[in-house]
Structures are given as structure tokens and as C-alpha cells.
Amino acid sequence: MTFDLRVDPYPWYVELRSKEGISRHEQLGWLIARYDEVRQVMADHHTFSSAIFEGFSSELGLNNQLSSMDPPRHTQLRSLAQHAFTPKAVAALEPRIREMASRLIDAALRKGSFDFVDDIAIPLPVNVIAEMLGISEVDRLKFKHWSDTIVAASLRLLHGNTDELPEHVAAIREMKHYFREQIMERRKDPKEDLISRLAIAEIDGQQLSDVEAVEFCVLLMVAGNETTTHLLGNAVRTFLEFPDQWRLLCERKELIPQAIEEVLRFRSSVQMMNRVVRADTEFRGQSLKAGEFVTVILGSANRDESKFEQADRFDITRQLTGQLAFGHGVHHCMGMPLARMEARIVFEALSERMPIFHITEGKTMEPLPTFVVHGLKKLPITAMQEALKA
């Protein structure tokens, strides 16, 4: 590969889509790059299983995850938290999320120059999901570090790279130990939060095991902040690249919801997801063997010209349906309404208060060290003085 996949994987995706939409990769297994095929794989959990970490040591913290589980157990567990993320439930959170976002944005804009990732994109989603779970403000400082290391550990292990894994395992253990203590406390004294709901929940008359409850908390904490952080950062990065679209958004704020969908399509936070073949099968003329890995490339599917006209063009007026940034099938992201609302609140405020901004002079964006999760570690921006006039 001659592309810097962390910065711009899209030229590679064009090549992959030209190869009948399916090709082999030494580390990632079968690559599925076209929209229709990606959607088909994600919808067929009978053939393409999400239980990709079976056989790895539970000490690595990668077993019993809802995202790596198939129905029927997946369906049972998911139903325990699903109602907390319905549009109605999420709408009830809007005043509190708006308050959190305003406080962060006010503080950042007062500085003039700030790092959008550190000052807004990280703390807002972390605080929102932590508050939903019932994690105290004192303890929230630990969670971004733990979340980052869990994602890094999963990606390294999946790709056969065990470098620095001990540090990641230690962080995973710390997070699990924290949640185990919280689960034990809530079973004695339940509160109005998600941890309590999981601590006392029953399936078919049986309480969740400690392992299941802890793993569920870990998943909610990690998934509840990582993808939203990168959605926010990717949006600002994209508007920096297409300032005409930012000006249009500031003039027509009613476009904010569809602008968020276009960001999700154009620069998906999660570029790839993995599945494992359950049994020998034929797929698009290729023979896939049981146990082989399949990587569905969401970032490529969302740029497929057969589905999206002028797919490499960023257009917030696009009448968009069917983007796959949140996945598809039984494993579609249940936090979709929450992520969309957080993004809408942030961009309503920024379009009003930050109509002009640019990369801070002498600074550069810093991409994440992986191309699987697509986003930025650093995004230093400066709001022009015009934007700071109240």
C-alpha cells in the first residue's frame, strides 16, 4: 500500500471496489468494499459471525462483549439497555447535554485558540455516557485513558500485534475492577442509572453474571464516547477542508441534521468491522472457509458511486439515505440517537458562535495511529475575533 490510510484511505478503497468488491488481505482476511456486499454481510449473522474473539484469553478483556456476540444471547442482553437509547429517552437528556456542551464551548471560545478534540470532542461524550451510567465526576478522568487503551488492545490483537499489550491489559483490568465494584454496590443500593439497571436486571429469571454486567458497562462506556468523539472531530476537519459548506451551514442551520449524516457518510468514524465465517460458503464467486476473517469496510461502502452519486463530494444538501457509519443488522449502533443529538447540539452552538475558524498557525492536525477507527488525536483551531463577539 502506498497510501497513508490514517489520513486518506479513500484512494485505496477505490482500488478495492474495482476488484469485484471482495479481495484477500494478509492481515485483514477477506475485504468487502462495495455497498451492497457490505450491507449483505452485516445483515447475515448466521453466515458471518460477530464472535471474532472466541478462543482468545478472557484475561485480554475481549470475551463476552455484546459487539462480539451473536443472537440469541446478543438480543437478550441488548434489550436490557436499548430503551435507554431510544429517541424518546435521548430527547429527555437534551437540556442536560446542551448545558454540558455550552459550558465546554464557552470555555474553549474564550481562549480563542484551542484544541477541538481535547476541549470539546473528548469531554462531552465522555461526560454524557458517564453520567448515564452513574459514574461520579471524580472518577470520569480515568475513563478516557481506559477507553482508548481498550480500543487499541482490540485492534492490535485482532491484527496479530502484541506490542505493548501488557499496558493495555492492565488498563482493561483496572476498568473492569472499577465496574465490578460499582455493580456490587448497586446490587445492594440501586440508583437511577444504567449501572443499577444492569446490576439488578434478569433474563429468563436469572440475574446477569458479574462478568456479563461488567462487560456490558465496559462496552457502553467505550462505544458511548469513542465514535461520537471522532464524529465531532471529523466534522470540524471536513468543514475546514470545505469552508463553503461551513458558510452554508451557518446561513442555513436547518441543514445541521443532514450535514451530520453527510459527515458520517463522507468520513465514517469506524472504517471497518470484522466478522468470522461460520461455515464454508460461496460469496461473490469466492470460496470462503469456516474460521476465515472477513473485514467489511464501511468507509468504502459509504463512498460507493453505485449507491451515492458523486460519492467523493462533500455536500450537506445531499438527500441522504442508507449511510452505514453506524453499521447494519442486529449489531447496528444502539447509541445512534445519542450521537446524532450530541453532534446536533454542538454544531448548533458552533454555527452560531464560531462562523469563522482555521487551523492554528504553526500547528497541524494529528491523526489517530490506526486507520480502523478514523479520526484525530489533535485538532488545533483558532476562532476569529468576529466569532467571539457575543
Side-chain angles (χ1 to χ4, degrees), residues 96-347:
R96 177 61 179 143
I97 295 175
R98 195 173 290 282
E99 178 187 332
M100 291 183 192
S102 294
R103 187 168 63 247
L104 292 168
I105 292 169
D106 286 347
L109 290 179
R110 278 196 295 271
K111 294 193 286 187
S113 294
F114 59 95
D115 190 295
F116 182 80
V117 174
D118 287 341
D119 289 349
I120 296 173
I122 286 176
L124 179 62
V126 168
N127 285 328
V128 169
I129 194 64
E131 192 163 293
M132 291 176 70
L133 283 163
I135 297 166
S136 70
E137 288 195 40
V138 174
D139 290 336
R140 290 176 198 175
L141 295 176
K142 309 170 187 176
F143 275 90
K144 185 57 185 172
H145 166 70
W146 286 340
S147 176
D148 287 345
T149 56
I150 287 173
V151 170
S154 301
L155 296 174
R156 282 185 170 85
L157 184 61
L158 185 61
H159 298 154
N161 182 352
T162 58
D163 292 349
E164 303 176 16
L165 202 53
E167 288 99 358
H168 300 310
V169 172
I172 293 167
R173 286 177 178 166
E174 288 174 17
M175 191 176 193
K176 287 188 172 186
H177 177 72
Y178 175 87
F179 276 126
R180 194 171 292 113
E181 289 186 334
Q182 295 298 310
I183 291 289
M184 292 172 63
E185 287 181 16
R186 298 302 202 286
R187 282 179 174 158
K188 296 175 185 174
D189 182 22
K191 305 182 187 305
E192 293 295 321
D193 56 42
L194 269 174
I195 294 179
S196 296
R197 198 168 294 148
L198 295 171
I200 63 176
E202 293 185 354
I203 295 177
D204 296 333
Q206 277 197 317
Q207 195 173 60
L208 289 185
S209 69
D210 287 350
V211 170
E212 286 176 322
V214 167
E215 292 287 358
F216 212 144
C217 289
V218 170
L219 176 66
L220 288 170
M221 188 65 215
V222 174
N225 81 79
E226 284 287 337
T227 52
T228 306
T229 287
H230 301 313
L231 164 58
L232 296 174
N234 286 340
V236 170
R237 172 188 174 181
T238 306
F239 283 120
L240 282 164
E241 293 175 3
F242 299 92
D244 61 314
Q245 295 292 292
W246 181 247
R247 287 192 295 271
L248 178 60
L249 191 72
C250 292
E251 293 167 3
R252 297 180 56 193
K253 295 179 178 55
E254 71 276 9
L255 292 175
I256 289 174
Q258 67 193 71
I260 292 166
E261 296 305 303
E262 178 68 346
V263 169
L264 287 163
R265 182 199 69 82
F266 188 80
R267 189 163 268 136
S268 307
S269 299
V270 177
Q271 291 283 300
M272 303 176 182
M273 289 185 177
N274 299 101
R275 298 290 185 265
V276 65
V277 181
R278 280 185 178 271
D280 293 359
T281 189
E282 292 292 316
F283 187 83
R284 295 298 190 267
Q286 299 287 349
S287 297
L288 280 58
K289 303 298 183 185
E292 289 185 325
F293 280 100
V294 172
T295 298
V296 290
I297 308 179
L298 308 180
S300 174
N302 281 337
R303 296 281 191 106
D304 189 338
E305 290 276 2
S306 70
K307 172 65 179 178
F308 305 104
E309 188 176 351
Q310 294 183 293
D312 286 329
R313 180 177 173 228
F314 180 67
D315 179 8
I316 66 171
T317 67
R318 186 189 297 270
Q319 297 301 309
L320 178 62
T321 59
Q323 59 84 6
L324 297 175
F326 288 118
H328 178 67
V330 297
H331 285 280
H332 73 275
C333 176
M334 65 182 169
M336 287 188 296
L338 181 62
R340 284 174 168 138
M341 185 173 72
E342 289 179 60
R344 173 174 58 79
I345 288 170
V346 167
F347 287 102

Side-chain angles (χ1 to χ4, degrees), residues 4-24:
D4 186 343
L5 300 180
R6 300 170 310 147
V7 178
D8 184 15
Y10 301 103
W12 182 45
Y13 297 163
V14 172
E15 284 191 8
L16 293 178
R17 289 196 299 274
S18 72
K19 299 174 181 178
E20 301 301 322
I22 179 169
S23 55
R24 287 283 295 175

